[in-house]
Amino acid sequence: MKNQQENNVDSNIAAFCNGNSNAIQSLYKKWSAELFFIAYGYLRNTEDAEDIVADAFEKLLKMPLEKRKQKFLKSGIDLKALLIVVVKNKSLDKIKVRNNRRRIIGSIQHLIPRTTKNDVLNHFSDEIVESILLILPERERQMFRMTLQGYSREEIAMAFEVSLKTVSNTLSSSRSRLKEILDDF
């Protein structure tokens, strides 16, 4: 049975190299799940992993016939191994892009104003919020203010030099305390 599957794969590769782009469909059906799990292992995102696998097969389809024959028939390059390398490299590239975007956004985020303080309603609302926040201990109040100003939990954790879990617990307890007070009204 296994030998028949290998022959089927080899015949699909040969057909693909000779110009039958439909032959890649059966290879896609056979290998896409495995390639998806490789990409997902790197990215931890279903949509991105699916896109990476589709891009890898699209790259094959765009390959000229002569290059297909040279790589897979004459040189004997393993198509599945090539796809695994392509998926891995595309996944790592995606991670680099993601990290670069975060770094760039983090470096320019301080340039973007977080709130507008120009109108009377905002000023009035700020005074009410501040008086309500006085119920909280100073550290919780500062963390809660930062949340209201649009800071992420990661940014708050860095500012206070505490773990992300500590920030989450502190904000959760602050919300609970404020909710109890506001429910009384």
Side-chain angles (χ1 to χ4, degrees):
M1 180 72 173
K2 186 175 182 182
N3 201 13
Q4 183 184 5
Q5 287 177 338
E6 288 175 6
N7 288 337
N8 195 17
V9 168
D10 290 341
S11 66
N12 283 326
I13 292 172
F16 170 68
C17 291
N18 289 315
N20 183 353
S21 294
N22 291 330
I24 203 76
Q25 284 180 332
S26 62
L27 296 174
Y28 179 83
K29 288 177 185 174
K30 183 157 182 65
W31 296 334
S32 64
E34 183 178 348
L35 294 170
F36 168 81
F37 285 115
I38 291 169
Y40 187 83
Y42 285 100
L43 302 169
R44 301 286 184 222
N45 181 298
T46 302
E47 293 82 20
D48 288 344
E50 289 171 348
D51 288 346
I52 295 288
V53 172
D55 288 348
F57 278 95
E58 182 180 352
K59 187 175 182 175
L60 280 179
L61 289 170
K62 288 182 179 179
M63 190 180 290
L65 282 179
E66 278 307 309
K67 195 170 182 181
R68 292 179 192 180
K69 290 176 185 177
Q70 176 62 37
K71 279 186 178 265
F72 307 118
L73 295 180
K74 292 178 184 170
S75 299
I77 293 176
D78 184 354
L79 180 58
K80 184 178 179 183
L82 177 71
L83 282 169
I84 289 171
V85 170
V86 168
V87 165
K88 175 187 167 201
N89 289 340
K90 284 185 171 287
S91 298
L92 292 173
D93 287 345
K94 184 81 169 176
I95 291 169
K96 285 179 190 174
V97 167
R98 204 185 283 163
N99 289 340
N100 283 340
R101 283 185 181 151
R102 281 190 194 127
R103 184 181 47 77
I104 290 168
I105 289 170
S107 67
I108 63 170
Q109 208 165 23
H110 69 280
L111 301 173
I112 301 167
R114 294 201 179 267
T115 58
T116 57
K117 303 257 182 202
N118 295 344
D119 92 352
V120 175
L121 183 59
N122 280 342
H123 182 69
F124 182 69
S125 298
D126 287 347
E127 287 179 2
I128 292 172
V129 169
E130 282 302 317
S131 63
I132 293 172
L133 290 180
L134 289 174
I135 296 163
L136 301 174
E138 181 62 27
R139 181 175 168 198
E140 286 183 38
R141 189 174 347 158
Q142 290 173 339
M143 284 185 183
F144 206 84
R145 271 192 201 119
M146 288 179 78
T147 301
L148 293 174
Q149 292 170 347
Y151 287 93
S152 69
R153 291 177 185 217
E154 291 83 6
E155 291 171 318
I156 296 170
M158 286 191 307
F160 284 89
E161 296 179 351
V162 296
S163 72
L164 192 57
K165 187 70 174 165
T166 301
V167 172
S168 294
N169 289 342
T170 303
L171 292 174
S172 177
S173 108
S174 298
R175 272 194 297 279
S176 296
R177 203 174 295 147
L178 291 172
K179 187 176 181 325
E180 286 176 21
I181 300 296
L182 293 174
D183 283 346
D184 289 343
F185 289 105

